[in-house]
Amino acid sequence: MTFTRIALVIVFIVLTALAGPFGQKSYALRWVGALLFIFAASTDKIDGYLARKYDQVTELGKLMDPIADKLLICSALVLLSVFGELWWWVTILFLIRELGITVMRFFIIDQGGSVIAANMAGKLKTVFECVGLSLLLAPVWSWAATGLKAGWVKAYLIIALIVTLVALALCLYSGFMYVYGVVSAGKKKQA
């Protein structure tokens, strides 16, 4: 299932890019891209549930599952920033944290350690990211006669941005906790 999610990321990127900023080239493609994002993000929970239920939890799965999440989320962040729908500084902070933790995971595996499982803050971060990005991607403004100028659309976008900023705060906090956990574990091994 994880590899299917990775394939869905490519389709999501193509459809969303073709739709253009705010879906102005094609609301239909933007809707399909948003729904594909929501579907791919939702299958993460199903994937984890099935792996635990059928006792199929593997080190490869623990490594690839977060990578599939990061590919989906980071591609959405970059697309939204390229389109001018999300501040670049938000995307850059997300990318630094996500890439840093991924590199750290690979380093730990290379050193003979086991994959770091997601902590609660990291899981909450993923939920807020998926909700915030889903809200930003769904072109609900296509329903308004005045498009992006409608008052309720502006309120909707503000809420979507607030949810995304909460995700960023959780992202930075959980990243700090991962690094702190690794450093603490390293000090215990040396003692």
Side-chain angles (χ1 to χ4, degrees):
M1 228 175 170
T2 299
F3 293 106
T4 302
R5 285 187 12 240
I6 292 171
L8 290 175
V9 171
I10 296 166
V11 178
F12 159 73
I13 292 170
V14 170
L15 293 175
T16 306
L18 289 173
F22 293 101
Q24 291 173 345
K25 289 183 183 175
S26 172
Y27 286 135
L29 287 178
R30 180 70 177 244
W31 273 112
V32 174
L35 293 172
L36 194 57
F37 176 88
I38 293 166
F39 174 75
S42 300
T43 60
D44 176 39
K45 299 302 170 207
I46 297 166
D47 187 16
Y49 169 76
L50 291 174
R52 287 185 296 278
K53 181 177 180 180
Y54 295 106
D55 197 28
Q56 297 293 316
V57 177
T58 65
E59 289 298 310
L60 179 63
K62 283 194 232 176
L63 179 66
M64 292 306 295
D65 182 64
I67 289 174
D69 293 341
K70 286 174 186 9
L71 286 173
L72 179 66
I73 288 168
C74 290
S75 63
L77 288 163
V78 169
L79 280 168
L80 289 167
S81 289
V82 166
F83 289 159
E85 299 177 46
L86 182 65
W87 305 289
W88 269 110
W89 66 267
V90 171
T91 296
I92 289 167
L93 287 173
F94 271 118
L95 292 175
I96 289 170
R97 186 273 190 195
E98 299 296 1
L99 294 173
I101 295 301
T102 301
V103 168
M104 188 174 74
R105 282 185 168 138
F106 280 118
F107 179 76
I108 290 169
I109 291 167
D110 188 52
Q111 298 299 312
S114 57
V115 177
I116 303 167
N119 62 26
M120 184 52 72
K123 291 178 182 182
L124 270 174
K125 171 218 41 128
T126 302
V127 170
F128 274 86
E129 276 176 330
C130 291
V131 171
L133 293 174
S134 295
L135 292 171
L136 288 171
L137 287 166
V140 297
W141 46 89
S142 65
W143 298 334
T146 56
L148 292 166
K149 295 179 181 174
W152 69 268
V153 171
K154 290 179 182 178
Y156 172 89
L157 289 173
I158 289 169
I159 291 168
L161 289 170
I162 289 170
V163 172
T164 304
L165 291 174
V166 169
L168 178 60
L170 288 166
C171 178
L172 297 174
Y173 172 74
S174 65
F176 171 78
M177 293 309 294
Y178 280 129
V179 172
Y180 178 77
V182 168
V183 171
S184 295
K187 287 181 181 179
K188 286 180 185 177
K189 281 185 179 180
Q190 290 177 353

